[in-house]
Amino acid sequence: DIAMPAGRTLARAPAGAYSRYRFCGWIGRSPAFLAVREGDRLPAADTGSEYGAAQPARLFAWSAGAVAPLTDAVPQALSGFASGSAAALFVAAGRLWSAAPGQPARPLSPPGLDVAALAERAPSMGLAPAWAISDARVAVKVRRPDGLRVAVLDRTTGQVLHDEGSAFAVSPRLDRALQLERQGWTVRLRLTADAAPLLTLNAAWRHRPTAQVERFSYRADGRDLTGWIVHPVGRTDDPPPALVWIYGGQMQTAAPPRQSQPSFAGSPIFSGQLWAARGYAVIYPSTPAPAAADADVADALARAAVAAVDAAAARNWVDPRRVGIIGHSFGGFSAAAVLTRRSDRFAAGVAMSGDYD
């Protein structure tokens, strides 16, 4: 057993996550873990996590019989880390860093490259991620004006070796990527530098109309929040009925949610574009979920959801008398929770596969 020093506790996962604590690992033979120091007020990393903001945490390792802090010199909380045989890699304050017992944390990525997160080798589907890291290279997600893009860095120099753009998956040596290209309802999968696509989906739907997706701002509980709306196809002067797709703790970012895009490949009921084709506006709100054990999560989610509806109604985008709320998994819990607080504001609700109290 490793005894934690006084004033330090393991960093808990956000509400709704699959595990109770945030991921741990190894640096060589030293166990490494994320922990929170009592009274620490590090600014939280902005990850856009669908489970909300995780506890602001630092990286520690068990070395030479004691718990050693590895990231005290870093000015921001970690958004995630990957363990390794020689050093850990982690993202904080827009940089990629390296740290190990006895070695101070040092930035690896060049200044000006806004690193948002480590990149996965392939989609993890909500399970423990397998990071895209080799002995010589590491793939990261970089913030760009058009959203997050994947870039591959040299682990020694931090130099950007190549930009993989909208990579869906990368090769084990990080020298090639599977690119996802979207054109309306049509999706192509293409290997880096290959002219011909490996696979084309919905080729015959290339020219079908798509619904407009628009970003908007609103306030809830004194915070400025971002929401997205999918306007119905064939809009009229009369405000349409609307659906609020909710997932407690999800924070919308500068990039539209993938469910709002025509190329979304999940179950049809999740597609904002298909709902818009049937005449509905679809609202994707930001719904901060308080982490305190005694917090009224249902009340907080209800305030955020209603604030988003009010903002859309004020712009004449939706009919506030004809609004439904829908969610799946933790979103199913969220939809049910909101209806227990504000059934006066929603004409219908669908709670799918929720983890209910």
Side-chain angles (χ1 to χ4, degrees):
D1 292 340
I2 298 176
M4 294 292 291
R8 291 175 175 81
T9 57
L10 288 177
R12 292 179 178 271
Y18 289 102
S19 58
R20 184 177 181 185
Y21 295 103
R22 296 177 69 181
F23 295 119
C24 301
W26 295 80
I27 304 175
R29 302 183 60 146
S30 298
F33 47 89
L34 297 178
V36 179
R37 300 189 308 187
E38 185 177 347
D40 209 340
R41 293 293 183 267
L42 284 170
D46 177 19
T47 61
S49 168
E50 62 182 10
Y51 294 112
Q55 283 183 294
R58 296 184 182 273
L59 181 62
F60 295 82
W62 176 256
S63 177
V67 173
L70 303 184
T71 59
D72 277 0
V74 181
Q76 193 183 56
L78 278 64
S79 59
F81 86 101
S83 54
S85 58
L89 299 178
F90 63 93
V91 174
R95 303 284 296 272
L96 176 68
W97 302 71
S98 173
Q103 302 176 17
R106 63 182 182 90
L108 292 182
S109 58
L113 187 70
D114 190 1
V115 179
L118 292 163
E120 296 180 52
R121 192 177 304 281
S124 61
M125 307 303 292
L127 302 178
W131 302 118
I133 298 173
S134 69
D135 291 340
R137 301 180 176 192
V138 55
V140 295
K141 292 183 178 180
V142 178
R143 292 187 184 90
R144 298 281 170 78
D146 57 348
L148 294 179
R149 295 176 64 85
V150 175
V152 176
L153 309 181
D154 184 294
R155 288 186 59 173
T156 302
T157 65
Q159 177 185 358
V160 178
L161 299 176
H162 44 94
D163 186 338
E164 296 297 357
S166 57
F168 182 74
V170 292
S171 65
R173 292 188 296 178
L174 306 189
D175 57 350
R176 303 189 83 189
L178 191 62
Q179 304 282 357
L180 197 64
E181 298 177 352
R182 299 177 172 92
Q183 181 182 355
W185 293 92
T186 302
V187 178
R188 297 183 185 86
L189 289 174
R190 188 190 310 275
L191 277 175
T192 303
D194 284 1
L198 295 173
L199 178 68
T200 301
L201 302 175
N202 293 334
W205 285 28
R206 185 177 300 110
H207 301 297
R208 289 201 176 194
T210 59
Q212 179 191 3
V213 183
E214 189 170 352
R215 184 182 177 186
F216 66 98
S217 299
Y218 65 103
R219 287 183 64 81
D221 290 340
R223 294 182 60 178
D224 292 318
L225 300 175
T226 292
W228 288 88
I229 185 169
V230 184
H231 296 289
V233 176
R235 294 167 64 180
T236 65
D237 292 336
D238 296 326
L243 285 178
V244 175
W245 265 100
I246 191 168
Y247 196 108
Q250 186 170 39
M251 301 298 290
Q252 303 297 338
T253 64
R258 58 192 180 90
Q259 296 95 328
S260 70
Q261 303 303 299
S263 54
F264 174 67
S267 174
I269 195 172
F270 291 90
S271 170
Q273 290 283 330
L274 290 178
W275 283 108
R278 289 177 173 266
Y280 291 89
V282 184
I283 298 172
Y284 297 94
S286 289
T287 50
D294 59 348
D296 191 336
V297 174
D299 202 50
L301 297 180
R303 290 194 299 271
V306 169
V309 172
D310 287 345
R315 294 167 169 84
N316 205 40
W317 288 344
V318 304
D319 182 348
R321 300 166 300 174
R322 296 186 293 161
V323 180
I325 190 166
I326 186 170
H328 174 262
S329 187
F330 195 56
F333 167 87
S334 304
V338 169
L339 290 174
T340 68
R341 298 296 193 270
R342 296 304 305 268
S343 60
D344 60 310
R345 292 301 306 273
F346 296 94
V350 181
M352 298 182 289
S353 304
D355 52 341
Y356 310 107
D357 291 345

